[in-house]
Amino acid sequence: MPNGFGAFTLVFLMDIPSHHCLVLDVNLTEDWRKTTIPIMVVNGKQELSRCSRYRLDVVRNLSAHGYIPGRDVNLTDLEQEGCVDGWSYSRDIYQSTIVSEFDLVCNEQWKQPLTSTVFFLGVLVGSFFSGQLSDRFGRKPILFVTTAFQTIFTFAQVFSNSWTTFTILLFFNGLGQMSNFVAALVLGAEIFTGNVRVLYSSLGTCLGFAAGYMLLPLCAYFLRGWRSLLLALSLPGLVYLPLWWLIPESPRWLLSQGRAEEAEAIIRKAAKWNKVQAPRVVFEDYSINKTKTHQKENSNAFDLLRESNMRITTLILCLVSFTMITGYYGLSLSTSQLHSDPYISCFISAAVEVPAYISSWLALRSLPRRWAVIGTLVLGAVPLYLIQLVPQNLSDLSLVLKMLGKYAITTGSSLMFTYTAELYPTVLRNTATGICTTVSRVGCCLTPILLKLSLYSKYLPYIIMGTLAVVSAFATLFLPESFGRPLPETIQQMHKRERIKCPCIGRKGTLVPTEHLGSSL
């Protein structure tokens, strides 16, 4: 839920209120006061210029001599100047935003996209290192450390007195964002089994994210100032402190580190909670009485690229994850203006994710992972290609296609979290999930640039996202299947799974007949 709050907080923090140059001079007639700001035509509509005004000394002189604007003076002949006295911001929607607080407009407008990029860079760095740290020091410590990072730096941003300070704190805030999401996902996937694991990995985590996402516009609606909104979003982090004594460490990770006694203690505690009788020896293979004791298996991120099958699996998962997240943020940001009210727009965009996550859960329960991911990619690509064929007067149809695309991509993004966690062994699971998440976060950083391409061609961003989806769907054919199979504990167990091969080529290099294509997969 905190990730649902934080992922799109910048939608409100960085929104740009209506503004124009501030006019402090009071020695002006009412006519001149109304016409000091030039009228501009933007997207076919007239509005006050945001970054210029008529030279105030000239206007003051004309007003003192009793000239009437538009009758005695042609306004187009007057010289203009920048907003030397600052800006006046509308408070119809927001009391304040980062933009109005630090004047990130006109010549400083470049700081707006940079702020978002810095945040996503923090998410990227956090995702990269948290996975490896989690595999080294444990799932539980990293989960709570990254949650603390997110809470502390969100709170610290409330006291920012400059854009630079705010941006630096925002980067550290991003270190915790999604890092705790991935740590919690892997921890739950390793503690739970069977349908409970599927329920937690899909509905548990993703609906929690959607709930936080939908609560964001509600909080923003009642808290119109950016400082009060950040303060409210930082407080829920305190609720998680008592969970340290309730959430156990992953027994699978403990076993991978040779800490069988600690893992056995957790299992016995679970047996007591569930009122079942634990066996006298829980982990026979790890018993100290056995001659072959379990040895700690040391692994690192380079193991993901060392062996050919694992290398191909990692690269394909990175491509698919990149495509999913690029499409998710691209469609989320492009549908942010579904309604004239930004709070309703945000809520609609969040609400669409609920049926997507439910669909993901149903697919995880009954469908092979590989074909479920391919289906969502194709379903997401088709409406993105069809958007450019919709006539201009059927804007509602374009909206439906966009939302269908987001529904499919959101479903696929949820599937990928579980699919990735199921493919890798315990010693590399968090590292692999973190690496794939890191690569996918590159898509977050590139999304604003991708959407800017609409200036050259209105539908170019949709064509690129659709093409990425088609390429990723084909690449997914070469991934191994994990549906209905136990989680691999070691790298050797992962190697025993079906080898990655072209679905159209038989074992001896001969073409497989079409009627046997399904079995070859």
Side-chain angles (χ1 to χ4, degrees):
M1 290 183 67
N3 287 282
F5 287 145
F8 294 99
T9 304
L10 291 178
V11 169
F12 298 105
L13 297 183
M14 297 299 299
D15 205 0
I16 307 172
S18 299
H19 58 276
H20 58 79
C21 292
L22 183 64
V23 180
L24 297 176
D25 198 298
V26 295
N27 298 319
L28 295 175
T29 64
E30 187 65 23
D31 289 336
W32 278 106
R33 180 172 292 279
K34 292 179 179 179
T35 56
T36 302
I37 309 299
I39 302 296
M40 310 290 291
V41 178
V42 180
N43 296 325
K45 298 180 180 179
Q46 290 187 343
E47 62 177 46
L48 296 177
S49 173
R50 297 185 173 189
C51 299
S52 63
R53 69 183 186 186
Y54 296 119
R55 283 190 54 178
L56 200 57
D57 56 341
V58 175
V59 171
R60 187 187 303 113
N61 183 50
L62 293 173
S63 175
H65 285 80
Y67 291 107
I68 305 298
R71 189 192 68 181
D72 303 324
V73 178
N74 187 355
L75 296 177
T76 58
D77 296 333
L78 294 181
E79 185 179 354
Q80 298 184 15
E81 63 182 359
C83 300
V84 294
D85 295 321
W87 289 262
S88 175
Y89 295 94
S90 170
R91 294 193 175 186
D92 293 340
I93 299 178
Y94 307 103
Q95 288 296 316
S96 65
T97 67
I98 298 300
V99 173
S100 63
E101 181 79 13
F102 303 123
D103 291 330
L104 307 184
V105 293
C106 301
N107 292 336
E108 300 292 310
Q109 189 173 358
W110 59 273
K111 294 180 178 179
Q112 296 172 14
L114 179 60
T115 304
S116 301
T117 300
V118 168
F119 172 72
F120 286 122
L121 285 174
V123 175
L124 187 150
V125 173
S127 300
F128 178 77
F129 287 106
S130 66
Q132 299 178 65
L133 292 174
S134 182
D135 279 335
R136 181 174 181 181
F137 298 106
R139 287 35 170 151
K140 180 179 176 179
I142 300 304
L143 168 61
F144 282 89
V145 167
T146 52
T147 301
F149 257 77
Q150 182 178 342
T151 301
I152 292 172
F153 286 102
T154 299
F155 180 76
Q157 286 179 272
V158 175
F159 305 98
S160 302
N161 56 7
S162 68
W163 172 78
T164 302
T165 302
F166 176 86
T167 306
I168 293 174
L169 294 174
L170 185 64
F171 174 83
F172 287 102
N173 183 354
L175 291 177
Q177 283 282 349
M178 296 309 297
S179 298
N180 50 36
F181 183 93
V182 174
L185 174 70
V186 173
L187 177 58
E190 292 181 344
I191 291 177
F192 300 127
T193 59
N195 290 333
V196 178
R197 183 176 68 210
V198 172
L199 178 65
Y200 169 79
S201 299
S202 53
L203 290 186
T205 55
C206 294
L207 280 184
F209 180 91
Y213 190 1
M214 288 188 288
L215 286 174
L216 172 63
L218 180 64
C219 294
Y221 179 81
F222 290 104
L223 303 170
R224 302 296 181 102
W226 69 273
R227 294 183 190 272
S228 57
L229 178 59
L230 281 176
L231 178 61
L233 297 182
S234 66
L235 293 179
L238 300 176
V239 179
Y240 293 86
L241 290 177
L243 297 182
W244 175 265
W245 291 274
L246 295 176
I247 297 178
E249 180 57 273
S250 166
R252 293 177 184 270
W253 179 81
L254 290 171
L255 290 177
S256 72
Q257 303 299 303
R259 296 158 62 178
E261 293 81 3
E262 297 175 59
E264 182 170 326
I266 293 174
I267 298 300
R268 293 191 181 280
K269 186 176 182 179
K272 182 178 179 181
W273 281 2
N274 292 311
K275 298 180 180 179
V276 297
Q277 182 65 41
R280 186 176 61 85
V281 179
V282 178
F283 302 109
E284 291 187 3
D285 293 339
Y286 298 90
S287 174
I288 59 174
N289 296 323
K290 299 292 183 180
T291 56
K292 293 183 178 180
T293 58
H294 177 76
Q295 298 295 323
K296 177 179 176 181
E297 186 170 357
N298 294 313
S299 302
N300 54 55
F302 293 105
D303 289 323
L304 298 175
L305 302 175
R306 193 164 285 135
E307 198 273 334
S308 60
N309 270 8
M310 188 176 291
R311 180 168 59 249
I312 295 173
T313 298
T314 301
L315 293 176
I316 293 176
L317 287 174
C318 286
L319 171 63
V320 177
S321 299
F322 174 85
T323 298
M324 293 289 192
I325 295 301
T326 301
Y328 173 77
Y329 279 95
L331 292 172
S332 295
L333 296 177
S334 66
T335 56
S336 61
Q337 300 300 322
L338 298 176
H339 193 275
S340 58
D341 189 322
Y343 304 104
I344 295 178
S345 296
C346 184
F347 182 82
I348 292 175
S349 182
V352 170
E353 299 189 7
V354 175
Y357 294 139
I358 295 176
S359 299
S360 172
W361 171 60
L362 294 174
L364 289 171
R365 283 176 59 89
S366 56
L367 296 178
R369 308 292 189 247
R370 181 165 48 194
W371 291 109
V373 171
I374 292 174
T376 58
L377 286 167
V378 173
L379 182 60
V382 170
L384 293 179
Y385 283 127
L386 293 178
I387 287 177
Q388 57 188 317
L389 304 178
V390 177
Q392 297 253 353
N393 58 341
L394 296 179
S395 58
D396 290 343
L397 180 56
S398 295
L399 176 61
V400 170
L401 291 174
K402 288 181 183 179
M403 300 314 293
L404 177 60
K406 182 179 180 182
Y407 161 80
I409 294 298
T410 303
T411 302
S413 299
S414 177
L415 289 172
M416 286 304 299
F417 282 117
T418 303
Y419 193 15
T420 302
E422 290 179 345
L423 287 179
Y424 289 95
T426 301
V427 292
L428 283 173
R429 187 169 295 119
N430 223 112
T431 297
T433 306
I435 292 295
C436 291
T437 303
T438 299
V439 174
S440 70
R441 295 302 136 185
V442 177
C444 300
C445 301
L446 296 179
T447 296
I449 301 174
L450 176 64
L451 296 179
K452 287 285 186 181
L453 295 178
S454 61
L455 297 175
Y456 304 98
S457 176
K458 182 178 180 180
Y459 301 107
L460 185 57
Y462 302 110
I463 294 174
I464 293 176
M465 287 187 286
T467 303
L468 277 173
V470 171
V471 173
S472 297
F474 177 75
T476 304
L477 286 169
F478 301 98
L479 288 174
E481 185 55 70
S482 63
F483 179 59
R485 303 180 183 182
L487 291 179
E489 300 293 345
T490 64
I491 295 177
Q492 289 72 24
Q493 290 178 5
M494 181 180 179
H495 291 338
K496 291 179 181 179
R497 288 189 169 181
E498 63 180 272
R499 295 186 61 83
I500 301 171
K501 55 183 179 295
C502 176
C504 299
I505 302 296
R507 293 184 178 179
K508 297 182 179 180
T510 58
L511 288 176
V512 178
T514 305
E515 61 269 20
H516 298 306
L517 183 59
S519 61
S520 72
L521 295 177

